[in-house]
């Protein structure tokens, strides 16, 4: 039997935008992996009446309701009380849980449990208790009127621990189906061209299925299969992933790889090479992205954020005559920046970015979105000219950084460096 779920996040702070609802995406991924289809996300404030309305709607259209938040000890933590009223379940004090909360306070907080924490030991009658080893708010699950209701705490670390230890095993017992997905990561082809290219293939697939998801500066293709076991689902996905990756060619930079910098790090380690950066309009984003990865010190030597033209000349060593003739936003400058980043750091590869991120044209009237990305290696120097248009400043910076890592990936794997795709993807499927 296939199950449909609704996730209800409880908390006024979510509606005000003070906190991002990361719990919903994490729960959705976990439920998908055990064959439970998530069809709705709802957010309700700390208001019993509105939460009751949300629950009434959810139980008419879903047979699994999973709530997060509202399990604390304060006056506005009313999730359990409201859920029990909605489903006609009495609240019962569990003395064993109460003693566990008292012990938690004594051992971890070195205080006597406040009396208002007593309500955290009250649960719907005949429910399954979800232990919380990292907090004071246990969760629970029960079935009523053919609907399974699971309540988890709101703090993400507590929620994640309970989801993995209790909720997922509980839900796994409800469904024999397993859903497995693989993400085919691409760069160099926009969302609309990708959708046009893959539309016919996607439309005729059901199980496995294929869907496109646009990220700020790249496109992800998700292949998904549902089967009685993970092994069977994986077997269904193997030919699909191979067909898509073979067809799209070098715009695919990996499968189940989080980002371009991660795949670049892998290739750099394999070759035993290092790289350095010289950045202008990206303001150090290329450096920040690689140094966010564990092990970056083995592949990244360092970089210069040469925002001023004088820094390009005096620190990086870009010839002043070149800057006077062509300007800081030029192919000639990008090439020199990359070569000098490589020279002064002793790295195998130098990457550079110079351009106009906006919101206004530069002093030479170069338009917003004009960016040059340079790469210098033992085999030569290349430059990619980007005309990104008048986008948001942060979007231009993200795209420029991704192009830099795409050039690095191509250099490391023997692909043409200056272009962002071979053109193979323009053939008919």
């Amino acid at each position: 039997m296939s199950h449909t779920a609704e996730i209800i996040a409880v908390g006024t702070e979510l509606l005000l935008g003070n906190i991002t609802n990361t719990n919903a995406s994490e729960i959705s991924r976990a439920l998908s992996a055990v064959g439970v289809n998530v069809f709705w996300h709802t957010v309700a404030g700390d208001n019993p009446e509105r939460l009751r309305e949300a629950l009434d709607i959810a139980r008419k259209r879903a047979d699994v309701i999973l709530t997060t938040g509202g399990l604390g000890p304060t006056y506005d933590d009313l999730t359990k009380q409201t859920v029990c009223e909605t489903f006609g379940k009495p609240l019962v004090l569990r003395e064993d849980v109460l003693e566990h909360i008292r012990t938690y306070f004594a051992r971890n907080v070195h205080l006597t449990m406040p009396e208002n924490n007593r309500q955290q030991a009250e649960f719907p009658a005949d429910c399954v208790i979800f232990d919380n080893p990292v907090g004071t708010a246990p969760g629970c699950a029960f079935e009523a009127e053919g609907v399974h209701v699971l309540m988890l705490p709101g703090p993400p670390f507590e929620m994640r621990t309970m989801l993995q230890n209790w909720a997922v095993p509980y839900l796994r017992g409800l469904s024999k189906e397993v859903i497995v997905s693989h993400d085919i990561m691409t760069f160099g082809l926009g969302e609309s061209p990708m959708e046009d290219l893959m539309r016919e293939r996607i439309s005729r697939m059901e199980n496995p299925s294929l869907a496109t998801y646009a990220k700020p500066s790249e496109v992800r293709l998700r292949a998904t299969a549902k089967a009685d076991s993970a092994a069977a689902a994986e077997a269904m996905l193997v030919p699909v992933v191979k067909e898509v990756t073979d067809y799209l060619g070098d715009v695919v930079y990996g499968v189940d790889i989080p980002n371009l910098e991660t795949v670049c790090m892998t290739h750099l380690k394999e070759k035993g090479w290092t790289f350095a950066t010289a950045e202008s309009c990206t303001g150090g984003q290329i450096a920040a992205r690689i140094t966010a990865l564990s092990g970056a010190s083995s592949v990244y030597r360092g970089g210069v954020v040469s925002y001023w033209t004088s820094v390009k000349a005096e620190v990086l060593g870009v010839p002043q005559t070149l800057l006077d003739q062509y300007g800081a936003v030029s192919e000639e400058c990008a090439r020199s920046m990359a070569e000098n980043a490589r020279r002064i750091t002793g790295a195998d590869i130098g990457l550079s970015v110079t351009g106009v991120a906006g919101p206004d044209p530069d002093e030479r009237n170069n338009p917003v979105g004009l960016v040059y990305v340079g790469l210098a290696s033992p085999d030569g120097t290349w430059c990619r000219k980007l005309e990104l248009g008048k986008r948001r400043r942060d979007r231009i910076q993200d795209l420029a950084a991704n192009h830099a890592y795409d050039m690095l990936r191509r250099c490391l794997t023997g692909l043409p460096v200056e272009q962002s795709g071979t053109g193979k993807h323009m053939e008919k499927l």
Side-chain angles (χ1 to χ4, degrees), residues 24 78 144 176 185 201 212 271 363 378 387 401 429:
L78 299 172
K176 293 182 179 179
M185 306 300 293
R201 181 78 174 102
T212 60
K271 294 179 75 71
E363 66 277 1
E387 294 175 297
L429 186 64

Side-chain angles (χ1 to χ4, degrees), residues 7-159:
I7 300 168
I8 302 178
V10 182
T12 301
E13 67 276 10
L14 296 170
L15 293 173
L16 294 175
N18 296 331
I19 296 176
T20 301
N21 185 15
T22 58
N23 285 345
S25 61
E26 190 155 353
I27 293 168
S28 287
R29 289 193 296 270
L31 267 59
S32 176
V34 294
V36 177
N37 302 304
V38 179
F39 287 169
W40 301 277
H41 283 190
T42 299
V43 178
D46 298 308
N47 179 285
E49 183 177 345
R50 286 193 286 274
L51 177 55
R52 193 176 299 112
E53 291 174 357
L55 289 164
D56 280 335
I57 293 170
R59 67 178 179 173
K60 293 174 183 176
R61 62 188 185 185
D63 60 359
V64 174
I65 300 173
L66 203 151
T67 71
T68 63
L71 301 184
T74 60
Y75 72 95
D76 59 350
D77 288 311
L78 299 172
T79 297
K80 276 188 292 189
Q81 294 90 322
T82 306
V83 168
C84 285
E85 290 173 9
T86 302
F87 285 90
K89 302 280 287 186
L91 273 172
V92 177
L93 179 68
R94 287 283 298 264
E95 292 289 350
D96 57 333
V97 178
L98 184 61
E99 184 57 33
H100 177 80
I101 297 173
R102 287 197 182 104
T103 302
Y104 182 91
F105 269 91
R107 181 180 302 154
N108 297 286
V109 190
H110 307 294
L111 292 173
T112 301
M113 184 196 81
E115 187 58 28
N116 60 355
N117 283 84
R118 183 182 180 88
Q119 75 179 34
Q120 292 183 300
E122 295 178 340
F123 294 91
D126 305 319
C127 72
V128 176
I129 304 294
F130 292 169
D131 183 37
N132 185 351
V134 294
T136 63
C140 63
F142 66 85
E143 182 182 4
E145 304 168 15
V147 178
H148 293 269
V149 181
L150 293 79
M151 289 179 268
L152 307 182
F157 182 64
E158 295 183 36
M159 188 286 301

Side-chain angles (χ1 to χ4, degrees), residues 271 273 342 348-349 375-382 411 414 417:
K271 294 179 75 71
W273 282 17
R342 180 171 179 257
D348 297 287
I349 295 176
L375 183 146
S377 80
D379 297 323
T381 303
W382 295 268
C411 175
V417 175

Side-chain angles (χ1 to χ4, degrees), residues 187-189 250-251 384 403 406 410 417-422:
F187 181 77
L189 199 61
D250 61 5
V251 299
R384 187 182 291 181
H403 274 279
D406 183 57
R410 290 171 172 277
V417 175
E418 289 178 301
Q419 60 195 43
S420 59
T422 62

